[in-house]
Amino acid sequence: MTSQKLSLRLCQRAVVSLRRSYCSVSPRNVLKLQERGVIQSVFPTTLTHEVEKQVGQPLTLYCGFDPTADSLHIGNLLAIIAMLHCQRAGHSPICVVGGATAKIGDPSGKTKDREPMKQETIDRNIASITESLERIFANHQKYFWRDQDKELPEVRILNNNDWYSQQTVVDFLSTLGRKFRVGSMMHRESVRTRLESEEGLSLTEFTYQVFQACDWLHLYEKYNCTVQVGGSDQLGNIISGYEFLTKIHKKLFFGLMVPLLTTSSGEKLGKSVNNSMWLNPDKTTPFKLYQYFINLPDSEVETYLKLFTFMTKREIKDCVANMRERPEQRRSQKKIAEAIVKLVHGEAGLEQAFRWTEVLFQNKAESLALLSDLEVKFLFKNAPFITLPLVPGLKLGSLCCKIKMFKKEGEAINKIRFGQVRVNFQMETNPELVLRDTDHILPSDITLFTLGKKNHFVVKWVS
């Protein structure tokens, strides 16, 4: 073998190694996620060397999601992505849906007590959030995990009500409650802030950190879970859990803090903010989620590529360079939007986002023909929706008056002749045009009429 061929093969192996290194299931130091910004900080900061040694072995870690709403949001997705990175590195993730803690209420970031929730609402939210978590982990494995020959560690999705429902208040306080010190609990920022407010803090929400700590204890004793993942606003609760566990077990426990996403005004982007992006398609459609990230400002692109994609450093560097050379193409924003929608909603959701984008922004008739009647109705929800029988020989001019696009047929004739009226995005200039089933009615039994550029009228044809 010549030296030239040998060098070529070595280069090819290096490229393959580089591609596989990012999706290898072999355990590795997940603390390097701090370089991407996925992990903002580690607690305790004084044990960095010990933590680095521990993450070299397979670990079990968990993140909690309280079902206080029927959907997770984009802020939760960042914590899920942190868990996915750890899963890719060979660690075992646990997602805890807080069926019990939802009844308690986390005071973190709140100015008053949460409203008590009905059990049926909590149960409905648990089912919805569980489905979302299962879908996202499945989509990651199907669409983003390249090394299909190596299995990812199993994800467990648990409900903490399962281990609290068997305990009485007296048993709980007389055993685990003795391990907590009120003095240190009072110093938590979430507690101190509320105590200083006019609203104050109820005993119920004061004990939230106790329950979160006991979750961690249960997960350690049953699944050897030594790591908790949470938003940076959860640091106080994670510290409580750390102090609690280290009193009972002589083991190294630590927390990984995920940064909080904020709006342009600095508010936490979550379910309490009106412009939150939800992960359930009935609350935020794949199209709306896609458009949100397509419209990211250039200044945020590099950060979001690191946070929300599984791209390598080199791929991110190339994307950023391309953005700076041709910002008008928005290729990097498209990569972010596509990655997030595919992770959350799968290929079907991404294809729907593409179709809706083509319909609304490119006026593509072929994409319009692929939409169901419900999709058309939703996309053009501000347009009049008219149900009409399909009468043979119906002409465009008289139909435009029938759907109240125009008051008089003479006006309709003039506007049509001057190219002001479109049928399914196609300009029609003949007011005597007879609407035909095969030419002008979509497979959904709908015809979209447009006056000018944005005045739409949706007609649903019935037999």
Side-chain angles (χ1 to χ4, degrees):
M1 182 182 295
T2 66
S3 59
Q4 187 176 9
K5 287 183 178 179
L6 180 60
S7 297
L8 179 60
R9 287 198 174 183
L10 289 173
C11 287
Q12 289 171 336
R13 288 176 184 174
V15 170
V16 171
S17 176
L18 180 65
R19 287 175 179 167
R20 289 181 175 174
S21 64
Y22 194 68
C23 57
S24 172
V25 47
S26 303
R28 65 172 183 172
N29 185 358
V30 294
L31 299 185
K32 290 190 176 295
L33 290 174
Q34 291 181 91
E35 297 174 5
R36 295 178 72 95
V38 175
I39 300 299
Q40 187 177 65
S41 61
V42 180
F43 179 85
T45 56
T46 55
L47 299 175
T48 304
H49 180 66
E50 289 84 348
V51 169
E52 284 181 348
K53 287 197 298 184
Q54 186 159 324
V55 295
Q57 302 298 321
L59 299 173
T60 300
L61 61 155
Y62 96 96
C63 185
F65 305 90
D66 276 352
T68 51
D70 57 0
S71 174
L72 299 173
H73 53 78
I74 200 68
N76 298 129
L77 183 61
L78 189 52
I80 296 170
I81 286 177
M83 300 281 281
L84 289 169
H85 276 291
C86 293
Q87 186 189 38
R88 294 164 75 93
H91 306 299
S92 300
I94 298 176
C95 298
V96 175
V97 183
T101 41
K103 303 173 189 176
I104 305 298
D106 184 359
S108 302
K110 301 298 177 185
T111 57
K112 60 181 181 179
D113 276 15
R114 296 175 186 267
E115 290 293 325
M117 299 176 65
K118 294 181 179 179
Q119 187 59 52
E120 55 264 33
T121 302
I122 294 174
D123 292 341
R124 186 167 59 249
N125 293 352
I126 288 171
S128 178
I129 288 172
T130 299
E131 188 278 330
S132 290
L133 290 167
E134 290 173 344
R135 183 180 73 246
I136 291 169
F137 274 88
N139 285 341
H140 165 261
Q141 183 165 356
K142 184 175 182 179
Y143 302 118
F144 295 90
W145 181 242
R146 300 171 189 169
D147 200 344
Q148 295 294 332
D149 294 334
K150 294 181 180 179
E151 288 189 8
L152 289 165
E154 177 189 4
V155 57
R156 291 184 174 91
I157 301 175
L158 309 175
N159 180 352
N160 64 8
N161 195 59
D162 292 342
W163 51 87
Y164 288 121
S165 60
Q166 306 302 317
Q167 298 185 55
T168 66
V169 174
V170 173
D171 289 341
F172 182 78
L173 291 176
S174 64
T175 53
L176 299 177
R178 296 183 184 277
K179 303 291 183 181
F180 293 89
R181 288 292 170 265
V182 173
S184 60
M185 292 171 64
M186 295 278 284
H187 282 86
R188 304 290 177 244
E189 184 179 355
S190 60
V191 172
R192 193 173 65 251
T193 302
R194 283 284 294 279
L195 288 175
E196 293 171 355
S197 69
E198 290 184 12
E199 181 74 19
L201 179 68
S202 68
L203 173 63
T204 301
E205 291 201 353
F206 178 66
T207 63
Y208 184 89
Q209 57 184 299
V210 173
F211 284 92
Q212 187 164 324
C214 291
D215 283 345
W216 199 352
L217 174 66
H218 173 84
L219 296 173
Y220 170 69
E221 293 182 343
K222 187 162 187 179
Y223 302 105
N224 196 33
C225 176
T226 56
V227 186
Q228 183 176 171
V229 176
S232 56
D233 61 341
Q234 290 295 305
L235 177 59
N237 293 334
I238 289 175
I239 291 174
S240 292
Y242 170 82
E243 293 176 347
F244 174 57
L245 265 71
T246 51
K247 287 177 183 176
I248 300 173
H249 297 285
K250 303 302 179 184
K251 187 85 174 180
L252 177 60
F253 300 93
F254 62 95
L256 301 177
M257 261 56 70
V258 176
L260 296 179
L261 291 180
T262 58
T263 63
S264 56
S265 61
E267 293 179 285
K268 176 183 173 183
L269 188 61
K271 52 181 173 282
S272 301
V273 178
N274 292 331
N275 64 351
S276 181
M277 292 290 106
W278 300 93
L279 305 188
N280 277 18
D282 59 333
K283 299 193 75 168
T284 298
T285 63
F287 165 76
K288 187 176 179 181
L289 191 63
Y290 181 82
Q291 290 299 319
Y292 180 85
F293 289 99
I294 278 285
N295 290 298
L296 279 177
D298 292 349
S299 58
E300 295 182 6
V301 164
E302 184 172 3
T303 297
Y304 276 71
L305 283 169
K306 292 177 179 178
L307 292 179
F308 285 102
T309 77
F310 299 99
M311 296 168 65
T312 63
K313 288 181 181 179
R314 180 175 294 179
E315 289 169 336
I316 291 172
K317 185 178 179 180
D318 290 344
C319 271
V320 173
N322 178 271
M323 177 194 68
R324 288 170 180 162
E325 289 176 9
R326 300 180 180 87
E328 72 284 355
Q329 295 181 350
R330 306 191 75 76
R331 287 185 180 177
S332 296
Q333 283 92 336
K334 289 176 183 177
K335 284 186 178 293
I336 296 168
E338 289 173 13
I340 291 174
V341 173
K342 192 181 237 186
L343 180 63
V344 176
H345 298 297
E347 280 189 348
L350 183 58
E351 288 171 1
Q352 184 193 76
F354 286 156
R355 286 197 304 272
W356 289 23
T357 299
E358 288 172 346
V359 168
L360 282 186
F361 297 109
Q362 300 172 28
N363 291 345
K364 284 194 173 182
E366 56 268 32
S367 297
L368 181 65
L370 296 174
L371 301 186
S372 68
D373 58 343
L374 291 177
E375 286 180 294
V376 174
K377 191 172 182 178
F378 184 88
L379 268 183
F380 300 95
K381 56 189 174 185
N382 295 322
F385 188 88
I386 306 109
T387 301
L388 289 176
L390 183 59
V391 179
L394 189 60
K395 295 179 180 180
L396 179 59
S398 58
L399 176 62
C400 286
C401 291
K402 199 176 187 69
I403 63 176
K404 298 182 179 179
M405 182 184 287
F406 304 105
K407 292 181 179 179
K408 297 180 179 180
E409 193 161 338
E411 182 186 7
I413 291 170
N414 288 333
K415 291 288 186 181
I416 292 169
R417 284 176 176 170
F418 280 99
Q420 293 295 303
V421 174
R422 295 175 184 269
V423 179
N424 297 331
F425 297 135
Q426 303 298 315
M427 183 189 297
E428 299 292 352
T429 57
N430 180 12
E432 298 296 311
L433 175 76
V434 175
L435 269 72
R436 303 182 191 282
D437 189 0
T438 54
D439 296 332
H440 307 110
I441 300 177
L442 302 173
S444 57
D445 293 327
I446 275 180
T447 303
L448 178 69
F449 296 90
T450 307
L451 172 62
K453 291 184 177 180
K454 295 184 178 180
N455 295 315
H456 302 293
F457 297 78
V458 180
V459 174
K460 173 73 174 179
W461 301 102
V462 292
S463 53

